[in-house]
Amino acid sequence: MAWYNKAEIRLVKSLMEDWQRRGAQVLHVGLHSPLFPEFFWDSGLDVTVCEENHRAIEEALQRSGPRISYQVGKADYLPFEDDSFEYAFFSLYAGSHYYSQYGMPGCLQGNLFFKKIFPELCRVARSSVIILAKNNFSLNRAKYQGKFYNPYSLWRECQSYIAGSAAARSFRGRVRFASTGFVPRFAPKKLEFFNNSVSYVPFGALIGYNLTFNAPPVTGIGDFIKNEQRKLEQCPAYSETARFRI
């Protein structure tokens, strides 16, 4: 757990709370993320890592052992078939350890993400994709390597991609947003624990998005109770005493 950043862990946990764990596969694209792939293994997922640097894979394999699968490949051209994984994860910044050992990953250089990497992530993931980025709105800037992103621009890009894909592939898409907690640099040290919390106000150092394909519709509690009552009425063992009304 020494390598895990508490704020990042809580942020990703909040975004993946609706992921199915037992038997599901996640593609962890790039070892540059400060969040190691062992986190997803510990969460009950089968993990495959796609990384472009051979030396980074060798070091990670010594740490994780055979429980994680590794594949050499580039993020803008993933060597997998369509819908090969249930989920995918990608970080738009690099940790200091990776940067000092191997330099900036090629997938973080230039403006490749929305042109090539993002469509590839959505191509290989059947159900959901999580992306993390550094927040340009935050006064408490993250120390990771990589450029800052406008959270509203990322939101618009994700929404437009989901809307276009939904029209083409006839599925219902949804984008969820979360941010790490926010404490300005000049705040007392006693308030630093807020940085490790999860917020839905876009001012934390890190921002994350969960793109869910084939998402169930969001209904009110009244509709939910009516649907449950209809299911009960179709049951042969249904009795009047079990009926409930709104």
Side-chain angles (χ1 to χ4, degrees):
M1 291 294 293
W3 282 96
Y4 295 164
N5 181 283
K6 292 181 180 179
E8 192 171 20
I9 285 179
R10 292 183 181 179
L11 177 60
V12 174
K13 279 184 175 180
S14 69
L15 291 170
M16 60 184 280
E17 61 186 2
D18 57 347
W19 282 12
Q20 175 188 344
R21 307 299 173 88
R22 193 179 299 276
Q25 291 189 327
V26 59
L27 176 64
H28 189 289
V29 181
L31 290 167
H32 57 273
S33 170
L35 191 69
F36 279 11
E38 287 88 330
F39 163 77
F40 293 103
W41 170 266
D42 295 339
S43 299
L45 295 158
D46 296 332
V47 187
T48 299
V49 175
C50 184
E51 165 63 37
E52 62 184 50
N53 191 300
H54 292 264
R55 291 195 298 124
I57 290 180
E58 292 173 1
E59 180 183 327
L61 186 58
Q62 292 177 0
R63 183 186 66 245
S64 67
R67 54 183 175 166
I68 309 291
S69 300
Y70 294 92
Q71 173 71 45
V72 178
K74 293 188 175 182
D76 57 344
Y77 190 76
L78 296 173
F80 304 105
E81 299 292 333
D82 295 357
D83 300 331
S84 298
F85 302 90
E86 198 70 28
Y87 313 111
F89 169 81
F90 184 78
S91 171
L92 285 161
Y93 51 84
S96 56
H97 172 73
Y98 188 101
Y99 182 76
S100 61
Q101 292 287 328
Y102 315 110
M104 184 65 72
C107 59
L108 299 184
Q109 299 176 11
N111 297 318
L112 288 175
F113 180 69
F114 280 110
K115 292 181 179 178
K116 295 185 178 180
I117 298 175
F118 189 51
E120 282 289 281
L121 294 171
C122 296
R123 178 182 66 81
V124 300
R126 285 190 298 270
S127 298
S128 180
V129 174
I130 288 179
I131 59 173
L132 299 185
K134 292 166 59 175
N135 190 357
N136 195 36
F137 282 10
S138 179
L139 296 178
N140 190 359
R141 297 298 184 93
K143 296 180 180 179
Y144 299 125
Q145 307 296 326
K147 61 182 179 181
F148 291 89
Y149 285 84
N150 183 318
Y152 291 124
S153 296
L154 282 176
W155 174 269
R156 287 195 301 268
E157 292 283 355
C158 293
Q159 286 282 24
S160 62
Y161 186 89
I162 280 285
S165 299
R169 297 167 60 181
S170 300
F171 65 71
R172 181 185 292 107
R174 183 180 66 201
V175 180
R176 291 198 298 117
F177 162 85
S179 168
T180 52
F182 168 70
V183 175
R185 294 178 181 176
F186 49 80
K189 272 195 167 288
K190 292 181 180 179
L191 298 179
E192 283 188 352
F193 71 92
F194 283 115
N195 286 323
N196 294 331
S197 63
V198 176
S199 170
Y200 297 98
V201 178
F203 295 110
L206 303 178
I207 49 177
Y209 299 86
N210 179 328
L211 288 80
T212 302
F213 316 121
N214 297 314
V218 179
T219 60
I221 187 65
D223 293 335
F224 171 78
I225 294 176
K226 288 179 182 177
N227 291 334
E228 292 301 311
Q229 183 168 334
R230 291 193 195 100
K231 292 178 184 177
L232 281 174
E233 290 173 349
Q234 294 171 2
C235 240
Y238 175 77
S239 65
E240 278 299 319
T241 55
R243 184 185 296 273
F244 57 93
R245 305 180 185 279
I246 302 174

